[in-house]
Amino acid sequence: FRPANYIELALGNLARTLTIAGGLVALALLILFFNWRMALVSLLTIIVSLVLGAYVLYLSGAPTLNIMALAGLVLALVVIIDDAIIDTDNIARRLRQQRQARNKQSVFATTLAAVLDTRGTAFFATLGILLAVMPLYFMQGLTGLFIHPLIVAYGWAVITSLMVGMVVAHGLALL
């Protein structure tokens, strides 16, 4: 038994699974938006949120990216995808309304108004999510040691998703 073989096999499976999942998410976004540009904005927002969440987790002093931390990031994907879709959909809707009304407002102002329109609700939803999982962070004993990396990874990923949804979705929609 050589542990390196197991790790290499696990990383290969992870890469293949992420590729398949990414393709399915991209296809679902294309079907949802009927617009490749907005689907790409959502997909890039999801990727940046996930990578930045892992990076902030690393900066916070997490010793390793273990199975439980990965599970926390996977659980946070639900919130990350939701944030990206809501922001992008609201931006697309506002831009469509602006074109139909022949409004002279700049694209920057329209996209900024669209993002700010959803941020209040997203902030309080994120706060509610974090408050709901907070008791798990303070668990003691062996169970607490086991679940702590999951909760920390989940919390950082959800917080970064809130920030990235506001900045990246707005910035990419301007391109």
Side-chain angles (χ1 to χ4, degrees):
F1 176 74
R2 199 173 139 236
N5 291 343
Y6 173 74
I7 293 170
E8 289 170 359
L9 181 65
L11 287 176
N13 287 341
L14 179 65
R16 188 176 67 245
T17 303
L18 285 176
T19 303
I20 292 169
L24 290 174
V25 167
L27 181 64
L29 290 172
L30 277 171
I31 291 170
L32 175 70
F33 287 117
F34 295 116
N35 182 339
W36 69 270
R37 190 169 166 247
M38 285 298 155
L40 184 64
V41 167
S42 282
L43 189 62
L44 289 175
T45 303
I46 292 166
I47 292 169
V48 169
S49 292
L50 192 58
V51 169
L52 191 61
Y55 184 66
V56 169
L57 179 65
Y58 168 74
L59 290 179
S60 72
T64 60
L65 196 61
N66 59 19
I67 297 295
M68 293 307 286
L70 285 174
L73 292 174
V74 168
L75 289 173
L77 269 175
V78 174
V79 178
I80 291 170
I81 291 172
D82 183 55
D83 278 349
I85 289 174
I86 287 173
D87 286 334
T88 309
D89 183 50
N90 200 32
I91 289 170
R93 183 180 57 82
R94 287 284 190 106
L95 289 172
R96 193 172 42 251
Q97 287 174 347
Q98 179 189 6
R99 277 193 302 271
Q100 289 172 351
R102 303 205 194 293
N103 192 344
K104 298 295 182 189
Q105 187 178 18
S106 70
V107 173
F108 178 82
T110 303
T111 57
L112 182 62
V115 169
L116 292 176
D117 190 30
T118 60
R119 282 301 95 188
T121 306
F123 173 77
F124 287 111
T126 302
L127 184 63
I129 289 169
L130 292 175
L131 287 174
V133 299
M134 186 67 67
L136 296 175
Y137 181 80
F138 295 107
M139 288 181 75
Q140 300 291 321
L142 189 57
T143 306
L145 290 173
F146 184 70
I147 201 136
H148 188 263
L150 184 142
I151 299 304
V152 170
Y154 181 80
W156 280 121
V158 168
I159 290 169
T160 56
S161 172
L162 179 70
M163 302 305 162
V164 168
M166 186 171 181
V167 176
V168 174
H170 177 243
L172 289 174
L174 290 174
L175 297 178

mmCIF file of all heavy atoms in Angstrom, residues 75-109:
data_model
loop_
_atom_site.group_PDB
_atom_site.id
_atom_site.type_symbol
_atom_site.label_atom_id
_atom_site.label_comp_id
_atom_site.label_asym_id
_atom_site.label_seq_id
_atom_site.Cartn_x
_atom_site.Cartn_y
_atom_site.Cartn_z
ATOM 1 N N LEU A 75 -20.476 22.584 -0.079
ATOM 2 C CA LEU A 75 -21.771 23.028 0.459
ATOM 3 C C LEU A 75 -22.024 24.501 0.150
ATOM 4 O O LEU A 75 -23.158 24.906 -0.106
ATOM 5 C CB LEU A 75 -21.835 22.794 1.964
ATOM 6 C CG LEU A 75 -21.940 21.339 2.414
ATOM 7 C CD1 LEU A 75 -21.831 21.246 3.926
ATOM 8 C CD2 LEU A 75 -23.229 20.712 1.930
ATOM 9 N N ALA A 76 -20.970 25.299 0.167
ATOM 10 C CA ALA A 76 -21.115 26.729 -0.120
ATOM 11 C C ALA A 76 -21.419 26.985 -1.599
ATOM 12 O O ALA A 76 -21.883 28.071 -1.953
ATOM 13 C CB ALA A 76 -19.850 27.471 0.287
ATOM 14 N N LEU A 77 -21.167 26.005 -2.454
ATOM 15 C CA LEU A 77 -21.454 26.181 -3.884
ATOM 16 C C LEU A 77 -22.910 26.536 -4.146
ATOM 17 O O LEU A 77 -23.212 27.264 -5.089
ATOM 18 C CB LEU A 77 -21.091 24.916 -4.669
ATOM 19 C CG LEU A 77 -19.680 24.859 -5.212
ATOM 20 C CD1 LEU A 77 -19.414 23.524 -5.854
ATOM 21 C CD2 LEU A 77 -19.421 25.979 -6.175
ATOM 22 N N VAL A 78 -23.799 26.036 -3.327
ATOM 23 C CA VAL A 78 -25.223 26.355 -3.494
ATOM 24 C C VAL A 78 -25.442 27.860 -3.363
ATOM 25 O O VAL A 78 -26.100 28.482 -4.194
ATOM 26 C CB VAL A 78 -26.076 25.588 -2.460
ATOM 27 C CG1 VAL A 78 -27.516 26.015 -2.514
ATOM 28 C CG2 VAL A 78 -25.944 24.099 -2.660
ATOM 29 N N VAL A 79 -24.859 28.453 -2.337
ATOM 30 C CA VAL A 79 -25.004 29.890 -2.113
ATOM 31 C C VAL A 79 -24.242 30.673 -3.179
ATOM 32 O O VAL A 79 -24.725 31.698 -3.681
ATOM 33 C CB VAL A 79 -24.509 30.268 -0.694
ATOM 34 C CG1 VAL A 79 -24.601 31.752 -0.457
ATOM 35 C CG2 VAL A 79 -25.293 29.503 0.356
ATOM 36 N N ILE A 80 -23.056 30.192 -3.553
ATOM 37 C CA ILE A 80 -22.240 30.866 -4.564
ATOM 38 C C ILE A 80 -22.969 30.920 -5.894
ATOM 39 O O ILE A 80 -23.045 31.970 -6.545
ATOM 40 C CB ILE A 80 -20.873 30.162 -4.700
ATOM 41 C CG1 ILE A 80 -20.026 30.394 -3.445
ATOM 42 C CG2 ILE A 80 -20.133 30.624 -5.944
ATOM 43 C CD1 ILE A 80 -18.766 29.556 -3.389
ATOM 44 N N ILE A 81 -23.524 29.795 -6.317
ATOM 45 C CA ILE A 81 -24.250 29.747 -7.593
ATOM 46 C C ILE A 81 -25.491 30.632 -7.522
ATOM 47 O O ILE A 81 -25.806 31.355 -8.468
ATOM 48 C CB ILE A 81 -24.597 28.291 -7.962
ATOM 49 C CG1 ILE A 81 -23.318 27.528 -8.312
ATOM 50 C CG2 ILE A 81 -25.588 28.226 -9.114
ATOM 51 C CD1 ILE A 81 -23.504 26.044 -8.498
ATOM 52 N N ASP A 82 -26.178 30.597 -6.399
ATOM 53 C CA ASP A 82 -27.362 31.434 -6.227
ATOM 54 C C ASP A 82 -27.012 32.913 -6.328
ATOM 55 O O ASP A 82 -27.683 33.665 -7.034
ATOM 56 C CB ASP A 82 -28.017 31.129 -4.880
ATOM 57 C CG ASP A 82 -29.291 31.915 -4.681
ATOM 58 O OD1 ASP A 82 -30.187 31.821 -5.544
ATOM 59 O OD2 ASP A 82 -29.392 32.630 -3.666
ATOM 60 N N ASP A 83 -25.953 33.338 -5.642
ATOM 61 C CA ASP A 83 -25.529 34.742 -5.717
ATOM 62 C C ASP A 83 -25.194 35.145 -7.149
ATOM 63 O O ASP A 83 -25.592 36.214 -7.616
ATOM 64 C CB ASP A 83 -24.303 34.991 -4.823
ATOM 65 C CG ASP A 83 -24.652 35.212 -3.370
ATOM 66 O OD1 ASP A 83 -25.850 35.390 -3.074
ATOM 67 O OD2 ASP A 83 -23.735 35.218 -2.540
ATOM 68 N N ALA A 84 -24.453 34.293 -7.838
ATOM 69 C CA ALA A 84 -24.039 34.619 -9.208
ATOM 70 C C ALA A 84 -25.233 34.727 -10.141
ATOM 71 O O ALA A 84 -25.325 35.658 -10.951
ATOM 72 C CB ALA A 84 -23.058 33.562 -9.720
ATOM 73 N N ILE A 85 -26.168 33.809 -10.030
ATOM 74 C CA ILE A 85 -27.331 33.813 -10.924
ATOM 75 C C ILE A 85 -28.238 35.002 -10.632
ATOM 76 O O ILE A 85 -28.715 35.674 -11.548
ATOM 77 C CB ILE A 85 -28.090 32.477 -10.828
ATOM 78 C CG1 ILE A 85 -27.267 31.373 -11.485
ATOM 79 C CG2 ILE A 85 -29.455 32.572 -11.477
ATOM 80 C CD1 ILE A 85 -27.842 29.996 -11.333
ATOM 81 N N ILE A 86 -28.467 35.286 -9.364
ATOM 82 C CA ILE A 86 -29.342 36.399 -9.019
ATOM 83 C C ILE A 86 -28.771 37.715 -9.516
ATOM 84 O O ILE A 86 -29.474 38.531 -10.119
ATOM 85 C CB ILE A 86 -29.609 36.435 -7.500
ATOM 86 C CG1 ILE A 86 -30.552 35.303 -7.121
ATOM 87 C CG2 ILE A 86 -30.177 37.774 -7.065
ATOM 88 C CD1 ILE A 86 -30.741 35.138 -5.641
ATOM 89 N N ASP A 87 -27.474 37.932 -9.276
ATOM 90 C CA ASP A 87 -26.854 39.180 -9.729
ATOM 91 C C ASP A 87 -26.886 39.299 -11.248
ATOM 92 O O ASP A 87 -27.270 40.338 -11.791
ATOM 93 C CB ASP A 87 -25.404 39.268 -9.243
ATOM 94 C CG ASP A 87 -25.316 39.572 -7.764
ATOM 95 O OD1 ASP A 87 -26.260 40.185 -7.234
ATOM 96 O OD2 ASP A 87 -24.310 39.217 -7.140
ATOM 97 N N THR A 88 -26.480 38.254 -11.932
ATOM 98 C CA THR A 88 -26.421 38.302 -13.390
ATOM 99 C C THR A 88 -27.807 38.436 -14.002
ATOM 100 O O THR A 88 -27.993 39.185 -14.963
ATOM 101 C CB THR A 88 -25.712 37.051 -13.941
ATOM 102 O OG1 THR A 88 -24.470 36.898 -13.253
ATOM 103 C CG2 THR A 88 -25.448 37.177 -15.413
ATOM 104 N N ASP A 89 -28.774 37.731 -13.441
ATOM 105 C CA ASP A 89 -30.137 37.827 -13.965
ATOM 106 C C ASP A 89 -30.693 39.234 -13.775
ATOM 107 O O ASP A 89 -31.329 39.775 -14.682
ATOM 108 C CB ASP A 89 -31.029 36.803 -13.256
ATOM 109 C CG ASP A 89 -32.437 36.811 -13.810
ATOM 110 O OD1 ASP A 89 -32.591 36.732 -15.041
ATOM 111 O OD2 ASP A 89 -33.389 36.901 -13.004
ATOM 112 N N ASN A 90 -30.438 39.833 -12.632
ATOM 113 C CA ASN A 90 -30.930 41.187 -12.389
ATOM 114 C C ASN A 90 -30.240 42.194 -13.316
ATOM 115 O O ASN A 90 -30.880 43.117 -13.824
ATOM 116 C CB ASN A 90 -30.730 41.580 -10.925
ATOM 117 C CG ASN A 90 -31.632 42.728 -10.521
ATOM 118 O OD1 ASN A 90 -32.739 42.872 -11.025
ATOM 119 N ND2 ASN A 90 -31.154 43.545 -9.615
ATOM 120 N N ILE A 91 -28.948 42.017 -13.558
ATOM 121 C CA ILE A 91 -28.236 42.899 -14.485
ATOM 122 C C ILE A 91 -28.801 42.743 -15.896
ATOM 123 O O ILE A 91 -29.066 43.742 -16.575
ATOM 124 C CB ILE A 91 -26.720 42.596 -14.466
ATOM 125 C CG1 ILE A 91 -26.109 43.062 -13.146
ATOM 126 C CG2 ILE A 91 -26.016 43.263 -15.635
ATOM 127 C CD1 ILE A 91 -24.683 42.600 -12.922
ATOM 128 N N ALA A 92 -28.999 41.502 -16.336
ATOM 129 C CA ALA A 92 -29.540 41.273 -17.677
ATOM 130 C C ALA A 92 -30.937 41.871 -17.814
ATOM 131 O O ALA A 92 -31.272 42.476 -18.842
ATOM 132 C CB ALA A 92 -29.568 39.776 -17.975
ATOM 133 N N ARG A 93 -31.761 41.709 -16.785
ATOM 134 C CA ARG A 93 -33.118 42.256 -16.817
ATOM 135 C C ARG A 93 -33.098 43.779 -16.895
ATOM 136 O O ARG A 93 -33.817 44.385 -17.697
ATOM 137 C CB ARG A 93 -33.894 41.806 -15.570
ATOM 138 C CG ARG A 93 -35.343 42.256 -15.538
ATOM 139 C CD ARG A 93 -36.060 41.770 -14.286
ATOM 140 N NE ARG A 93 -35.408 42.195 -13.055
ATOM 141 C CZ ARG A 93 -35.567 43.397 -12.498
ATOM 142 N NH1 ARG A 93 -36.340 44.290 -13.063
ATOM 143 N NH2 ARG A 93 -34.950 43.689 -11.368
ATOM 144 N N ARG A 94 -32.236 44.403 -16.085
ATOM 145 C CA ARG A 94 -32.151 45.864 -16.103
ATOM 146 C C ARG A 94 -31.623 46.395 -17.441
ATOM 147 O O ARG A 94 -32.116 47.405 -17.943
ATOM 148 C CB ARG A 94 -31.229 46.361 -14.984
ATOM 149 C CG ARG A 94 -31.796 46.262 -13.603
ATOM 150 C CD ARG A 94 -32.821 47.395 -13.382
ATOM 151 N NE ARG A 94 -33.200 47.473 -12.012
ATOM 152 C CZ ARG A 94 -32.810 48.403 -11.171
ATOM 153 N NH1 ARG A 94 -32.012 49.364 -11.558
ATOM 154 N NH2 ARG A 94 -33.214 48.383 -9.922
ATOM 155 N N LEU A 95 -30.631 45.730 -18.015
ATOM 156 C CA LEU A 95 -30.105 46.156 -19.315
ATOM 157 C C LEU A 95 -31.159 45.997 -20.414
ATOM 158 O O LEU A 95 -31.286 46.839 -21.297
ATOM 159 C CB LEU A 95 -28.834 45.377 -19.668
ATOM 160 C CG LEU A 95 -27.598 45.724 -18.850
ATOM 161 C CD1 LEU A 95 -26.466 44.754 -19.163
ATOM 162 C CD2 LEU A 95 -27.176 47.157 -19.101
ATOM 163 N N ARG A 96 -31.921 44.915 -20.337
ATOM 164 C CA ARG A 96 -32.999 44.690 -21.309
ATOM 165 C C ARG A 96 -34.073 45.774 -21.181
ATOM 166 O O ARG A 96 -34.549 46.318 -22.179
ATOM 167 C CB ARG A 96 -33.594 43.294 -21.096
ATOM 168 C CG ARG A 96 -34.483 42.816 -22.189
ATOM 169 C CD ARG A 96 -34.881 41.345 -22.025
ATOM 170 N NE ARG A 96 -35.214 40.939 -20.659
ATOM 171 C CZ ARG A 96 -34.451 40.146 -19.899
ATOM 172 N NH1 ARG A 96 -33.315 39.673 -20.354
ATOM 173 N NH2 ARG A 96 -34.830 39.825 -18.683
ATOM 174 N N GLN A 97 -34.439 46.122 -19.960
ATOM 175 C CA GLN A 97 -35.427 47.183 -19.734
ATOM 176 C C GLN A 97 -34.914 48.528 -20.233
ATOM 177 O O GLN A 97 -35.673 49.316 -20.802
ATOM 178 C CB GLN A 97 -35.775 47.288 -18.250
ATOM 179 C CG GLN A 97 -36.627 46.180 -17.725
ATOM 180 C CD GLN A 97 -36.806 46.258 -16.223
ATOM 181 O OE1 GLN A 97 -36.105 47.002 -15.526
ATOM 182 N NE2 GLN A 97 -37.734 45.458 -15.708
ATOM 183 N N GLN A 98 -33.629 48.789 -20.038
ATOM 184 C CA GLN A 98 -33.040 50.039 -20.495
ATOM 185 C C GLN A 98 -33.083 50.129 -22.026
ATOM 186 O O GLN A 98 -33.409 51.175 -22.579
ATOM 187 C CB GLN A 98 -31.598 50.168 -20.012
ATOM 188 C CG GLN A 98 -30.922 51.435 -20.484
ATOM 189 C CD GLN A 98 -29.439 51.443 -20.186
ATOM 190 O OE1 GLN A 98 -28.869 50.463 -19.722
ATOM 191 N NE2 GLN A 98 -28.803 52.563 -20.468
ATOM 192 N N ARG A 99 -32.766 49.020 -22.701
ATOM 193 C CA ARG A 99 -32.820 49.020 -24.175
ATOM 194 C C ARG A 99 -34.241 49.214 -24.683
ATOM 195 O O ARG A 99 -34.472 49.931 -25.651
ATOM 196 C CB ARG A 99 -32.240 47.722 -24.719
ATOM 197 C CG ARG A 99 -30.739 47.707 -24.820
ATOM 198 C CD ARG A 99 -30.249 46.535 -25.643
ATOM 199 N NE ARG A 99 -30.679 45.245 -25.123
ATOM 200 C CZ ARG A 99 -30.014 44.528 -24.232
ATOM 201 N NH1 ARG A 99 -28.886 44.976 -23.758
ATOM 202 N NH2 ARG A 99 -30.464 43.372 -23.822
ATOM 203 N N GLN A 100 -35.208 48.556 -24.047
ATOM 204 C CA GLN A 100 -36.596 48.667 -24.492
ATOM 205 C C GLN A 100 -37.152 50.069 -24.253
ATOM 206 O O GLN A 100 -37.943 50.562 -25.050
ATOM 207 C CB GLN A 100 -37.468 47.631 -23.779
ATOM 208 C CG GLN A 100 -37.193 46.215 -24.245
ATOM 209 C CD GLN A 100 -37.916 45.188 -23.396
ATOM 210 O OE1 GLN A 100 -38.500 45.497 -22.363
ATOM 211 N NE2 GLN A 100 -37.879 43.933 -23.847
ATOM 212 N N ALA A 101 -36.742 50.707 -23.168
ATOM 213 C CA ALA A 101 -37.242 52.041 -22.853
ATOM 214 C C ALA A 101 -36.448 53.130 -23.575
ATOM 215 O O ALA A 101 -36.799 54.295 -23.490
ATOM 216 C CB ALA A 101 -37.186 52.273 -21.355
ATOM 217 N N ARG A 102 -35.391 52.716 -24.251
ATOM 218 C CA ARG A 102 -34.494 53.661 -24.939
ATOM 219 C C ARG A 102 -33.993 54.733 -23.962
ATOM 220 O O ARG A 102 -33.947 55.919 -24.280
ATOM 221 C CB ARG A 102 -35.158 54.280 -26.147
ATOM 222 C CG ARG A 102 -35.648 53.248 -27.145
ATOM 223 C CD ARG A 102 -35.740 53.827 -28.523
ATOM 224 N NE ARG A 102 -36.484 53.030 -29.470
ATOM 225 C CZ ARG A 102 -36.132 51.855 -29.939
ATOM 226 N NH1 ARG A 102 -35.063 51.275 -29.503
ATOM 227 N NH2 ARG A 102 -36.852 51.229 -30.839
ATOM 228 N N ASN A 103 -33.643 54.268 -22.790
ATOM 229 C CA ASN A 103 -33.152 55.137 -21.733
ATOM 230 C C ASN A 103 -31.713 55.554 -22.037
ATOM 231 O O ASN A 103 -30.929 54.771 -22.536
ATOM 232 C CB ASN A 103 -33.215 54.376 -20.400
ATOM 233 C CG ASN A 103 -33.013 55.269 -19.210
ATOM 234 O OD1 ASN A 103 -32.551 56.391 -19.329
ATOM 235 N ND2 ASN A 103 -33.374 54.746 -18.048
ATOM 236 N N LYS A 104 -31.357 56.769 -21.719
ATOM 237 C CA LYS A 104 -30.017 57.299 -21.998
ATOM 238 C C LYS A 104 -29.047 57.058 -20.830
ATOM 239 O O LYS A 104 -27.924 57.525 -20.873
ATOM 240 C CB LYS A 104 -30.081 58.805 -22.289
ATOM 241 C CG LYS A 104 -30.903 59.157 -23.492
ATOM 242 C CD LYS A 104 -30.272 58.610 -24.751
ATOM 243 C CE LYS A 104 -31.105 59.026 -25.948
ATOM 244 N NZ LYS A 104 -30.709 58.378 -27.155
ATOM 245 N N GLN A 105 -29.481 56.352 -19.799
ATOM 246 C CA GLN A 105 -28.618 56.077 -18.655
ATOM 247 C C GLN A 105 -27.448 55.198 -19.101
ATOM 248 O O GLN A 105 -27.603 54.311 -19.939
ATOM 249 C CB GLN A 105 -29.419 55.373 -17.558
ATOM 250 C CG GLN A 105 -28.677 55.180 -16.276
ATOM 251 C CD GLN A 105 -29.556 54.513 -15.221
ATOM 252 O OE1 GLN A 105 -30.570 53.914 -15.542
ATOM 253 N NE2 GLN A 105 -29.142 54.625 -13.978
ATOM 254 N N SER A 106 -26.266 55.428 -18.537
ATOM 255 C CA SER A 106 -25.086 54.659 -18.941
ATOM 256 C C SER A 106 -25.212 53.200 -18.504
ATOM 257 O O SER A 106 -25.947 52.873 -17.563
ATOM 258 C CB SER A 106 -23.822 55.269 -18.338
ATOM 259 O OG SER A 106 -23.795 55.053 -16.946
ATOM 260 N N VAL A 107 -24.471 52.342 -19.190
ATOM 261 C CA VAL A 107 -24.469 50.926 -18.853
ATOM 262 C C VAL A 107 -23.899 50.731 -17.445
ATOM 263 O O VAL A 107 -24.381 49.897 -16.676
ATOM 264 C CB VAL A 107 -23.663 50.122 -19.904
ATOM 265 C CG1 VAL A 107 -23.507 48.676 -19.490
ATOM 266 C CG2 VAL A 107 -24.323 50.219 -21.265
ATOM 267 N N PHE A 108 -22.887 51.519 -17.103
ATOM 268 C CA PHE A 108 -22.298 51.441 -15.767
ATOM 269 C C PHE A 108 -23.344 51.733 -14.688
ATOM 270 O O PHE A 108 -23.468 50.993 -13.709
ATOM 271 C CB PHE A 108 -21.127 52.424 -15.645
ATOM 272 C CG PHE A 108 -20.504 52.437 -14.286
ATOM 273 C CD1 PHE A 108 -19.577 51.475 -13.922
ATOM 274 C CD2 PHE A 108 -20.859 53.410 -13.357
ATOM 275 C CE1 PHE A 108 -19.007 51.476 -12.667
ATOM 276 C CE2 PHE A 108 -20.295 53.420 -12.097
ATOM 277 C CZ PHE A 108 -19.362 52.453 -11.745
ATOM 278 N N ALA A 109 -24.089 52.798 -14.863
ATOM 279 C CA ALA A 109 -25.106 53.171 -13.871
ATOM 280 C C ALA A 109 -26.198 52.112 -13.787
ATOM 281 O O ALA A 109 -26.692 51.799 -12.696
ATOM 282 C CB ALA A 109 -25.704 54.529 -14.215
#
